[in-house]
Amino acid sequence: MLQQEAKSVIPYGRQNISDADVQAVVDVLRSDFLTQGPAIPRFEKELADYCGARYAVAVSNATAGLHIACLAAGLGPGDRLWTSPNTFVASSNCALYCGAQVDFVDIDPVTYLMSVEALARKLEDTPADELPKIVVPVHFAGQSCDMVAIAELSREYGFMVMEDAAHSVGGSYKGSKIGSCQYSDMTVFSFHPVKVITTGEGGMVMTNDEELYQKLIRLRSHGITRDAEFLAEKDGGPFYYEQLELGYNYRMTDIQAALGSSQMGRLDEFVARRHELVRLYDNLLAGLPVSLPFQHPDSYSAHHLYVIRLRPDEIKRTRRQVFDAMRAAGILVNVHYIPVHTQPYYRNLGFDWGQFPEAEQYYREAITLPLYFDLHDYEQDRVVDALKAAISENA
């Protein structure tokens, strides 16, 4: 008897690379510019036009984008940045890179996004000299935060708004594309391979503010400019440049930008397929002792992630047991995220368990199921069957 072939693993996310994507990269490799060439401004313009923003600044990754966005906003020692504890550490680390202080705002238990009610209470209870300079709402799993309400609070309390939209390229809020910066000063995207579109590694900062744009352009490239408008020495010659700020080498390459431009051509297709897969999951999981992701009618999610919450009062097994059982079945589920304030580094800063209970309870129950463009319907059946077996008392 032939041994039955082992089933392949199903990752929680992965990129889709077409022949056209490969050719776009090959074309750059055979061109005169591998970096700092024409592919970068082309990609920037395509994304700015898509989102309806005035400016886009390509960077090496979204963490770099968050960092220089904070710097462009003037964040520094003595300032404060508030963000969500339900995010990757980069959303708060960017403030620490600038020497600023960090604090968190608990999440809404239904959307898993920054709670506007918690933000309003925290602002009201905070002394004027301790208010944040920047608030970073995180569009978790691809769904926009309540940006109208956050923008209203920003006007009342005088903070800048920087959207962490690492999960959200291709999504919309109240009919406008996320990244339009209609309700914020800047928006930051990620193009990591598990995101909706990829450049391998890479990110983009969007803004409608020309002053911020000029700062972002310089900060991503050592703080250097050749633009005569900003030079102290106007007649230095074509070789001449000046360093105006302490910047970084956060540039994207033309190789990455070419891949991003090619992927942009399928962005709406990628998001539409994710919506199909989410609808299938919603149907397949109906009736199971899990909470499904809530989608607010004001938001058209990019659906970067599909996160369920186990109902511990209805399941005899722990989240760890369910997680391990699904991994053993070849379903590479994940958890997004361990609350940032519980990380050892942040506990050393004075944070601890118990401070943001909604984010902590969410974390204890959350499991991220596979979701990506190439996921087949029959693979979804396999994911759900594995979940049913994992939450069974006899598993």
Side-chain angles (χ1 to χ4, degrees), residues 74-360:
L75 190 73
D79 295 327
R80 290 169 172 81
L81 178 148
W82 293 1
T83 189
S84 168
N86 182 35
T87 186
F88 188 58
V89 295
S91 306
S92 54
N93 285 353
C94 59
L96 302 181
Y97 299 155
C98 301
Q101 298 179 46
V102 172
D103 204 350
F104 300 95
V105 178
D106 211 351
I107 65 170
D108 181 282
V110 176
T111 65
Y112 319 145
L113 306 170
M114 179 182 285
S115 166
V116 171
E117 291 76 14
L119 175 61
R121 287 195 303 271
K122 194 177 185 82
L123 289 165
E124 185 177 353
D125 294 341
T126 299
D129 61 349
E130 296 179 9
L131 287 169
K133 184 165 188 172
I134 299 176
V135 170
V136 180
V138 178
H139 300 329
F140 177 73
Q143 181 168 209
S144 175
C145 296
D146 185 351
M147 294 307 301
V148 167
I150 292 171
E152 289 174 355
L153 289 170
S154 77
R155 289 189 289 271
E156 180 178 355
Y157 288 93
F159 58 82
M160 297 180 72
V161 179
M162 188 169 79
E163 300 175 68
D164 183 338
H167 295 183
S168 302
V169 67
S172 301
Y173 171 72
K174 287 187 176 292
S176 297
K177 290 294 184 185
I178 296 172
S180 68
C181 298
Q182 187 172 344
Y183 306 102
S184 66
D185 298 280
M186 289 173 280
T187 301
V188 181
F189 290 125
S190 171
F191 308 126
H192 183 276
V194 298
K195 299 303 197 300
V196 180
I197 63 171
T198 188
T199 58
E201 281 279 8
M204 195 80 78
V205 186
M206 320 296 294
T207 187
N208 293 322
D209 186 305
E210 185 174 1
E211 183 177 354
L212 289 174
Y213 169 69
Q214 295 295 344
K215 289 180 180 178
L216 290 164
I217 288 290
R218 294 194 298 268
L219 287 165
R220 75 170 173 187
S221 190
H222 306 281
I224 285 174
T225 186
R226 296 178 185 271
D227 190 331
E229 180 182 350
F230 302 102
L231 296 177
E233 173 58 62
K234 301 298 184 183
D235 299 318
F239 61 86
Y240 187 72
Y241 60 86
E242 292 178 354
Q243 180 183 343
L244 305 186
E245 295 106 344
L246 180 62
Y248 299 83
N249 185 356
Y250 283 168
R251 297 187 296 254
M252 177 180 282
T253 68
D254 274 50
I255 299 167
Q256 294 168 300
L259 176 56
S261 288
S262 182
Q263 292 254 305
M264 278 292 299
R266 293 184 291 150
L267 175 52
D268 288 339
E269 179 186 359
F270 286 159
V271 175
R273 175 56 179 161
R274 286 172 178 268
H275 275 259
E276 291 177 3
L277 293 166
V278 165
R279 287 192 292 271
L280 286 169
Y281 266 140
D282 288 346
N283 291 331
L284 291 169
L285 296 168
L288 293 182
V290 299
S291 297
L292 306 184
F294 171 79
Q295 299 302 316
H296 196 283
D298 286 344
S299 180
Y300 178 76
S301 178
H303 284 312
H304 165 52
L305 300 174
Y306 189 92
V307 181
I308 61 169
R309 290 179 69 167
L310 305 179
R311 296 176 187 164
D313 55 337
E314 300 178 39
I315 298 173
K316 301 290 185 179
R317 311 195 81 208
T318 66
R319 193 271 303 275
R320 176 62 187 272
Q321 288 174 319
V322 174
F323 182 95
D324 288 348
M326 295 193 72
R327 283 283 182 110
I331 312 299
L332 302 188
V333 291
N334 212 328
V335 173
H336 296 85
Y337 288 97
I338 303 169
V340 178
H341 70 283
T342 68
Q343 294 291 342
Y345 184 88
Y346 280 85
R347 294 207 304 274
N348 288 337
L349 297 178
F351 296 100
D352 209 345
W353 289 96
Q355 291 181 300
F356 303 101
E358 293 294 353
E360 294 167 22

